[in-house]
Amino acid sequence: MKLVVVSAGLSVPSSTRLLADRLAAETEAKAKAQARADVEVEVVELRDLAVEIAHNFTNGFPGRKLAAALDAVAGADGLIVVTPVFSASYSGLFKSFFDVLDQDALTGKPVLIAATGGSARHSLVLEHALRPLFAYLRAVVVPTAVYAASEDWGAEGLPERVERAAGELAALMTGLSAARQAAPAAPAKAEAGGFEVIPFAEQLAALRPAG
């Protein structure tokens, strides 16, 4: 399985990258435990792609590094996205990356959303900005989103939220992976009350674009 982490942090070191790494480590551990398989983790640092993203808007073609990042996101079994909060929303760099991503790349893909900010007052950015964005992109957003304010580091609550969100993402990743492996077997469709009943895993797999 492949887990891709998109971090929109700008500074070095970055609290955004720190949160991304914690979520990735927890998700990797839980996915390995559930699927008993190796998990490949790839981190995409948007800070390093800023120039290529801007050029993509003006010439319509991604540079080499941006193209590799877009391919990694499209080919991931699960995605973790983390942005700092700017002006009560996600950063412009974060939005720009997903603006140049193929419109169908996230269809049916499990996504864990997270954000960092200086104050807990901005925590609603997860629900009024990030969740609608990824719902529009037809991703499957996990129920638990993670926000980390400055005062959350080292405090109670954040590790529990990280663990819960990671567990939800890992469950979706392993479930979809198992469904894809079973797909060639073409499981028989059950009949109930004269109606054809299609297994949920098969319905979910059908939502993902062919090829």
Side-chain angles (χ1 to χ4, degrees), residues 26 30 112 144-145 157 159-169:
E26 192 68 32
K30 289 187 177 297
L112 191 168
T144 302
E160 290 76 13
R161 295 197 302 275
V162 167
E163 182 179 4
R164 184 167 63 248
E168 292 167 357
L169 179 60

